[in-house]
Amino acid sequence: MVDFNEISESLQRGDAEKVKELVKQALEEKVIPRDILENGLISGMNVIGVKFKNNEIYVPEVLIAARAMHAGMDVLRPKLVETGVKNIGKFVIGTVKGDLHDIGKNLVKMMLEGAGFEVIDLGVDISPDKFVEAVKEHQPNIIGMSALLTTTMVNMPEVIKALEDAGIRDKVKVMIGGAPITQNYAEQIGADAYSPDAASAVEEAKSFIA
Ligand code: B1M
C-alpha cells in the first residue's frame, strides 16, 4: 500500500523517478487521485515552500522538487481530469515587457500549480496588450507580473492601465513581485497584492480565492 508520506518525502528529495513510480502504484491500488494530489504531492510542495521561505533550502532544491512534482503530475493529470478534480483557481503569469528574467516567475508558477491552481504562463517580455488578451481569453481569477529590473518594473502600471482601458480591471486581481518590487510600489501603482516570495504568492492567491 502506497504511503502518502513516502510520496511527499520523495518529492522533497527531488526524486522524480520515485515520485512517478509511487503515483503510478497508488493509482493501480485505486487510491483516489485527489488524495494522491493533496496528501502526497501538494503536501510535499508545501513543505518545500515553507523551507524556501525560511531560507532552509535554496533555488536549486526548489527547482529539483518542482521537477519531481511535475513528474508526479504528468502521471496524475489524466486521472484528475477523468475524475473531475477542479482547479482551485486560474492564474495568468508573465514577466513584464523588456525583462527576460524567469527563474523567480517559474518558481512562483510551480508553487501555484503545487497548490492546485491552473497556471497559464505567458513567458517573458510580455507587453501590456498580451496581458490584456490573456485575461480576455482565459478569464483568470488573478494575473501575476514579475519584474527583476528597475528599468522594467515601470511596465507594471502600464499593464494595470491597459486593463482599465479595456474595461476589465475589476474582473481580475493583480499580483506583482520580483526583487526590486515593494509593498509600497504595489500600493502606488494600484496592484492588489505584492508577494516577496513564491510561498507568500501562494498564500495571497489562496486568500483571493477564499
Ligand atoms: Co540579471 N540582473 N540582468 N540576469 N540577474 C539582476 C536582476 C541584477 C540585480 C544583477 C545585479 O546587477 N546585481 C540586475 C538588475 C539591476 C537593477 O535593475 N536594479 C540585473 C541586470 C542589470 C541584468 C542585465 C541588464 C545585464 C546586462 O545584460 N547588462 C540583463 C537584462 C536582461 C533582460 O531582462 N532584458 C540581465 C540578464 C540576466 C540573465 C539572462 C543572465 C539571467 C536571467 C536568467 C533567467 O532568469 N532565465 C540573470 C540573472 C540570473 C540575474 C540574477 C543573478 C538572479 C535573478 C534570479 O533568478 N534570482 C540577479 C541578481 C540577484 O537577484 N541576485 C540579476 C533568483 C530568483 C528565485 O529570485 O527572481 O527575485 P527572484 O524571484 C523571487 C521573488 O522575487 C519572488 O518570488 C521568487 C521566488 O522567491 N517573485 C515573485 C518573483 N516574481 C514574482 C511574481 C509574483 C510574486 C513573487 O507574483 C506574480
Side-chain angles (χ1 to χ4, degrees):
M1 190 69 183
V2 165
D3 174 2
F4 291 132
N5 274 337
E6 208 185 338
I7 299 181
S8 164
E9 279 160 19
S10 305
L11 183 147
Q12 292 169 50
R13 279 198 315 277
D15 190 342
E17 279 311 308
K18 189 75 188 166
V19 171
K20 222 179 194 172
E21 182 193 313
L22 290 169
V23 171
K24 266 187 200 153
Q25 192 188 327
L27 288 172
E28 279 160 17
E29 287 169 3
K30 306 276 180 243
V31 179
I32 298 167
R34 186 188 205 119
D35 287 349
I36 305 174
L37 177 69
E38 286 176 0
N39 303 328
L41 300 178
I42 293 182
S43 112
M45 216 48 204
N46 281 344
V47 176
I48 291 289
V50 171
K51 285 188 174 167
F52 184 53
K53 193 175 178 183
N54 296 337
N55 293 322
E56 288 169 45
I57 57 168
Y58 298 95
V59 176
E61 288 97 325
V62 180
L63 292 177
I64 291 167
R67 197 182 56 193
M69 168 96 195
H70 278 285
M73 281 300 287
D74 285 345
V75 180
L76 201 55
R77 196 172 289 114
K79 295 286 167 197
L80 285 172
V81 174
E82 253 173 48
T83 52
V85 171
K86 297 257 188 321
N87 288 305
I88 64 169
K90 219 187 246 188
F91 199 111
V92 161
I93 195 165
T95 301
V96 294
K97 189 167 167 53
D99 202 319
L100 303 176
H101 296 85
D102 67 357
I103 297 170
K105 169 187 70 66
N106 291 345
L107 278 173
V108 174
K109 173 189 167 183
M110 289 167 187
M111 298 296 291
L112 284 166
E113 285 181 338
F117 281 87
E118 178 189 352
V119 183
I120 294 115
D121 184 1
L122 304 178
V124 296
D125 190 19
I126 301 303
S127 67
D129 285 352
K130 278 197 188 155
F131 273 109
V132 169
E133 272 167 38
V135 171
K136 285 183 180 165
E137 184 185 342
H138 301 287
Q139 305 192 344
N141 307 87
I142 307 160
I143 69 162
M145 293 181 259
S146 182
L148 263 285
L149 301 170
T150 45
T151 48
T152 59
M153 59 191 270
V154 292
N155 292 323
M156 289 174 159
E158 296 300 318
V159 175
I160 294 177
K161 185 171 178 303
L163 289 170
E164 282 165 1
D165 291 347
I168 50 175
R169 173 64 186 93
D170 58 344
K171 300 266 186 284
V172 278
K173 296 289 183 191
V174 176
M175 183 188 293
I176 62 172
I181 310 301
T182 60
Q183 177 63 38
N184 247 348
Y185 187 65
E187 284 166 19
Q188 193 188 315
I189 68 169
D192 299 302
Y194 154 71
S195 298
D197 54 56
S200 323
V202 171
E203 281 162 28
E204 284 286 352
K206 278 184 177 167
S207 76
F208 284 141
I209 299 299

